[in-house]
Amino acid sequence: MARAGLSREAVTALALRVVDDGGPQGFADLSLAKVAAAAGVATPSLYKHVGSLADLRRSVAVVAVDDLTRAAAGATIGRSGPDALSALAHAIRDFAREHPGRYAATQVAPDLGAGADDPLSLAAAESVAVVAAVLRGFGLPEASTVDAIRAVRSAVHGFVALELLGGFGMPDDVDHSFEVLVGLLVVGIADLARSASS
């Protein structure tokens, strides 16, 4: 890509390619030097389009979160209750396995001091809204929704992160273990809904 063709969007797209090519460590290893090399320019040229590596990482995270949100929403639309929660968990795992670098980028937390129009905050809110919609199918009271969202995200992310890093070395079927995890989440969320409503 010629220097004249660079823009913030183009630099972000190049960074996404670098992240994708890097596998599970692609996002962690992202650097301005790698993006500049992919663009065929000197690193200082990128500063006309992004303020810093942290700024570029946030742009990558916005795209990655949007991608994951679309995958999760597409998998859960028209489903409810346990079926929706299972579809959500599988969609997250499938996305992480197909796009491990981008999945790592989805873990960037929005800046707590950012304004309401911050792109990463908006993207994260949409992602959380998909999870909340799935959990509403269990009849959870509003007061228990945040706890349930955190439990589901933590459990699925923990499994996926361990899997991507080769943390499951035993010969037992990993897919079966994931189904067990999903089953435990379904039972746990249903129990939380019952106890919170009583």
Side-chain angles (χ1 to χ4, degrees):
M1 180 179 298
R3 180 179 305 191
L6 285 181
S7 63
R8 183 177 182 86
E9 293 73 23
V11 171
T12 300
L14 285 167
L16 284 161
R17 189 195 316 162
V18 170
V19 166
D20 289 338
D21 290 346
Q25 292 299 315
F27 186 66
D29 293 343
L30 179 65
S31 69
L32 290 175
K34 288 182 179 180
V35 176
V41 300
T43 301
S45 298
L46 298 182
Y47 288 106
K48 298 174 185 173
H49 310 288
V50 293
S52 64
L53 176 58
D55 180 31
L56 180 58
R57 287 169 63 86
R58 288 175 68 80
S59 290
V60 168
V62 170
V63 175
V65 171
D66 284 343
D67 288 348
L68 177 57
T69 301
R70 275 193 298 276
T76 57
I77 193 166
R79 301 174 186 265
S80 63
D83 186 37
L85 182 52
S86 177
L88 173 70
H90 282 279
I92 294 170
R93 184 184 184 213
D94 290 346
F95 180 86
R97 294 165 92 183
E98 292 167 18
H99 310 284
R102 290 191 193 213
Y103 177 74
T106 67
Q107 303 308 307
V108 173
D111 183 354
L112 295 178
D117 60 346
D118 172 59
L120 186 53
S121 296
L122 292 171
E126 288 183 23
S127 183
V128 170
V130 171
V131 181
V134 166
L135 296 176
R136 274 197 294 276
F138 286 84
L140 273 173
E142 194 67 31
S144 299
T145 301
V146 170
D147 293 333
I149 289 171
R150 287 173 175 167
V152 168
R153 289 184 65 211
S154 298
V156 175
H157 172 67
F159 190 102
V160 166
L162 284 168
E163 183 176 26
L164 290 178
L165 295 174
F168 297 131
M170 293 177 143
D172 305 68
D173 185 5
V174 176
D175 291 339
H176 176 73
S177 296
F178 189 73
E179 294 299 339
V180 170
L181 173 70
V182 172
L184 290 170
L185 285 172
V186 166
V187 171
I189 298 300
D191 185 61
L192 177 62
R194 280 192 300 272
S195 61
S197 301
S198 59

